[in-house]
Amino acid sequence: MRIGFRENEPPMSFLDENDKPTGYSIDLCTRIANEVKTTLNTQDIKIEFVPVSAAERFEAVAKGKVDILCGSTTKTLSRAKLVDFTQLTFVTGASLLSLDGSGVDGISALQDKKVAVVKGTTTIDQLNRALKDAFIDATVVPVDSATGGMKALVAGEVAAFASDQVVLIGLALTNKGTEKFSIAEEVFSFEPFALAVRRNDSDFRLIADRTLARLNRTGQISPIYGKWFGKFSSKVPIMLEAMYALNSTPE
């Protein structure tokens, strides 16, 4: 079973200090893999983690290079033309990461500044729309990865890095430098995360949905949330708590 994952999207999916794939989404996908073994009544299934970029991830799913995509993937109707999605796994929104003291506390603070964002993501479209709606003249700098965005920010090449707020928190927490960061409270998009799978594979999607529903229904999702988000949020946000409840589909 080939699990596609992003290498630098903490705390959803990333490589730990031992270069082992880890994160909130990785934990969910590992449990789905275990459910596949149970459903097929065999333990003779190996798990292979396959790193994918933002640009190639959906093609990797559609062409069968990976069986499931685990990361910070926003479910959209346009993407559903290429891949299918499981039920939702997380909800967040896009925000801005900047160096502490820079004064970048929202979209309006980006006037005449440069802001990095990973290309091939929903965030870049939402950022451009938010800038346009607020009549802010800023330069959007596309980068290949979150790591590239962080490097540009630390080097002073951009004033901010835009991404999903939960990813920005993860990047700030796992940063190995001495820099101090600030994350804007303003959220300028709605990002419902889900796991991407191949279209027309309803049996596999059912296994994935059954696993996720059981985690939500039994409360087993709570320690998973606490493991990855407890450092900065001991209480599950109301919107996420509602999502867990709504996705507690009975057997």
Side-chain angles (χ1 to χ4, degrees):
M1 181 172 169
R2 293 158 297 184
I3 297 177
F5 76 103
R6 303 285 297 283
E7 295 181 296
N8 44 38
E9 296 285 343
M12 306 308 287
S13 72
F14 62 105
L15 293 174
D16 64 14
E17 60 273 10
N18 298 314
D19 288 334
K20 179 181 177 181
T22 190
Y24 176 88
S25 294
I26 298 296
D27 278 0
L28 298 183
C29 284
T30 300
R31 283 163 173 75
I32 291 170
N34 291 336
E35 182 66 15
V36 170
K37 294 178 182 179
T38 300
T39 301
L40 297 180
N41 194 28
T42 178
Q43 295 299 310
D44 191 24
I45 296 177
K46 296 181 180 179
I47 298 177
E48 177 185 358
F49 288 97
V50 182
V52 294
S53 67
E56 69 179 10
R57 52 186 167 161
F58 297 114
E59 182 180 1
V61 175
K63 292 188 175 181
K65 295 180 180 179
V66 300
D67 299 304
I68 191 168
L69 181 61
C70 297
S72 53
T73 304
T74 301
K75 178 179 180 178
T76 69
L77 294 176
S78 59
R79 286 174 171 175
K81 296 177 181 178
L82 303 173
V83 297
D84 204 351
F85 289 97
T86 65
Q87 64 179 39
L88 299 184
T89 58
F90 204 84
V91 287
T92 184
S95 189
L96 300 168
L97 179 71
S98 61
L99 294 177
D100 195 30
S102 67
V104 179
D105 55 0
I107 292 294
S108 60
L110 293 176
Q111 179 66 37
D112 299 323
K113 292 181 172 64
K114 294 181 179 179
V115 53
V117 60
V118 179
K119 52 191 173 184
T121 63
T122 56
T123 305
I124 193 168
D125 296 327
Q126 297 287 356
L127 176 62
N128 282 318
R129 185 178 297 110
L131 291 170
K132 181 179 179 181
D133 291 345
F135 303 100
I136 298 298
D137 185 14
T139 302
V140 176
V141 181
V143 293
D144 291 327
S145 66
T147 299
M150 286 289 285
K151 287 181 178 179
L153 177 61
V154 171
E157 298 171 1
V158 297
F161 172 51
S163 186
D164 298 318
Q165 192 176 61
V166 65
V167 171
L168 296 180
I169 293 172
L171 290 170
L173 287 175
T174 56
N175 178 61
K176 297 181 180 179
T178 59
E179 299 82 14
K180 293 185 178 180
F181 300 97
S182 176
I183 298 175
E185 292 185 7
E186 177 186 353
V187 173
F188 58 85
S189 72
F190 170 61
E191 308 291 341
F193 289 175
L195 308 174
V197 296
R198 283 188 298 277
R199 298 187 69 186
N200 303 318
D201 192 353
S202 57
D203 288 340
F204 179 54
R205 190 187 69 231
L206 177 59
I207 292 175
D209 284 344
R210 180 189 297 129
T211 304
L212 297 173
R214 187 179 300 142
L215 289 173
N216 296 333
R217 191 173 60 252
T218 61
Q220 294 177 49
I221 193 65
S222 295
I224 298 176
Y225 174 89
K227 176 182 177 181
W228 297 108
F229 302 99
K231 292 181 180 179
F232 52 85
S233 176
S234 58
K235 182 175 175 57
V236 179
I238 294 177
M239 184 179 294
L240 182 60
E241 190 172 33
M243 188 213 76
Y244 287 152
L246 290 170
N247 287 333
S248 298
T249 311
E251 291 284 354

